[in-house]
Amino acid sequence: MLTIYGRANSSNVSVAMWAIGELGLPHRRLDYGRGYATTHTPDYLAMNPTGLVPTLDDGGVVLFESGAILRYLGSKYGDATFWPTDPAIRGPLDSWAEWGKNAFVAGAAEIFYEVVRRKPENKSPEGMRRAVAAVTPLATMLNARLTSRTWIGGEDFTFADVAVGHQLYRYFTISWDRPDLPALAAYYDRLTGRPAFREHVMVSYDAHWNTM
Ligand SMILES: N[C@@H](CCC(=O)N[C@@H](CS)C(=O)NCC(=O)O)C(=O)O
């Protein structure tokens, strides 16, 4: 039985939970993090010295960093489609996974902060312009990748889709003047057809309004 420590409304927790859902793994998730059980205890910090969520405990194997958790789950429990064993196939997918968890997350988070998290008194047209300028080239790059593909790798859904796609629920449901990127929009539609995406990624972000 896997244990995930982390609140369901965290996008990083959603990476771990979506992977768990796709792989059909028995698990329990404990509500830790902002608004729930504190992570600032010696016991939690011994598992995850960052004091952030998620943390995974798999029978005493303890990991933090959602990208590392995704790769651990893929390599231990994924089949050769979700987690290709051939480095020549997995490596290029991992480029997208790494980009998704770093560059795309950073750009998408800026928009989410501007629209949802910032208190009205901390919002500014300049902040919004900066956020749009940050995310638009990234979304455009993703759109180009998806123009001729069903999933990030091609015909098969893989770990790279989890690393890239987990930001898209917020990206497509917050209110902003999104660039017109049809392949990206179609990809998001396909993601919403996946039960594990609906359960673990399409989670209310109401608790995030006006928190910074
Ligand atoms: N790079 C880390 C970032 C983790 C992170 O920033 N987690 C946020 C939630 S998305 C957090 O723990 N926030 C504080 C809290 O909930 O107490 C990862 O990918 O796991």
Side-chain angles (χ1 to χ4, degrees):
M1 161 83 84
L2 304 171
T3 301
I4 288 281
Y5 297 80
R7 52 188 168 85
N9 62 6
S10 144
S11 63
N12 287 302
V13 171
S14 78
V15 171
M17 293 306 299
W18 183 14
I20 284 172
E22 289 288 347
L23 298 171
L25 305 174
H27 65 278
R28 62 177 181 158
R29 187 187 55 74
L30 305 179
D31 274 327
Y32 272 74
R34 184 160 28 87
Y36 296 95
T38 180
T39 57
H40 299 286
T41 62
D43 283 351
Y44 190 89
L45 292 169
M47 294 191 295
N48 182 343
T50 71
L52 298 171
V53 293
T55 299
L56 168 70
D57 183 341
D58 180 12
V61 178
V62 176
L63 284 83
F64 57 93
E65 286 295 334
S66 56
I69 291 171
L70 171 62
R71 290 180 175 88
Y72 172 84
L73 294 172
S75 59
K76 182 159 181 195
Y77 299 109
D79 63 16
T81 300
F82 184 84
W83 181 262
T85 44
D86 181 352
I89 296 173
R90 196 180 64 244
L93 287 174
D94 210 4
S95 295
W96 282 95
E98 190 70 12
W99 174 87
K101 275 302 284 119
N102 288 291
F104 190 58
V105 163
E110 280 202 44
I111 281 288
F112 186 70
Y113 288 174
E114 288 304 323
V115 177
V116 173
R117 291 203 59 188
R118 280 201 211 298
K119 296 176 180 161
E121 61 269 31
N122 295 333
K123 288 185 177 168
S124 69
E126 183 44 33
M128 193 61 197
R129 265 195 298 276
R130 261 202 311 271
V132 172
V135 77
T136 299
L138 302 168
T140 303
M141 179 177 150
L142 191 49
N143 184 71
R145 172 74 183 176
L146 291 163
T147 296
S148 56
R149 291 174 181 83
T150 305
W151 306 110
I152 294 292
E155 288 313 302
D156 294 322
F157 180 92
T158 70
F159 73 103
D161 291 288
V162 176
V164 170
H166 74 283
Q167 285 295 325
L168 293 178
Y169 170 60
R170 293 177 179 183
Y171 178 96
F172 277 103
T173 56
I174 60 176
S175 177
W176 66 293
D177 194 10
R178 266 179 297 281
D180 183 25
L181 298 170
L184 185 57
Y187 176 66
Y188 173 66
D189 276 351
R190 287 192 287 282
L191 290 178
T192 64
R194 302 188 75 87
F197 183 85
R198 284 204 299 277
E199 182 177 353
H200 298 297
V201 184
M202 299 176 77
V203 173
S204 167
Y205 44 79
D206 277 356
H208 291 278
W209 282 96
N210 301 331
T211 47
M212 60 187 269

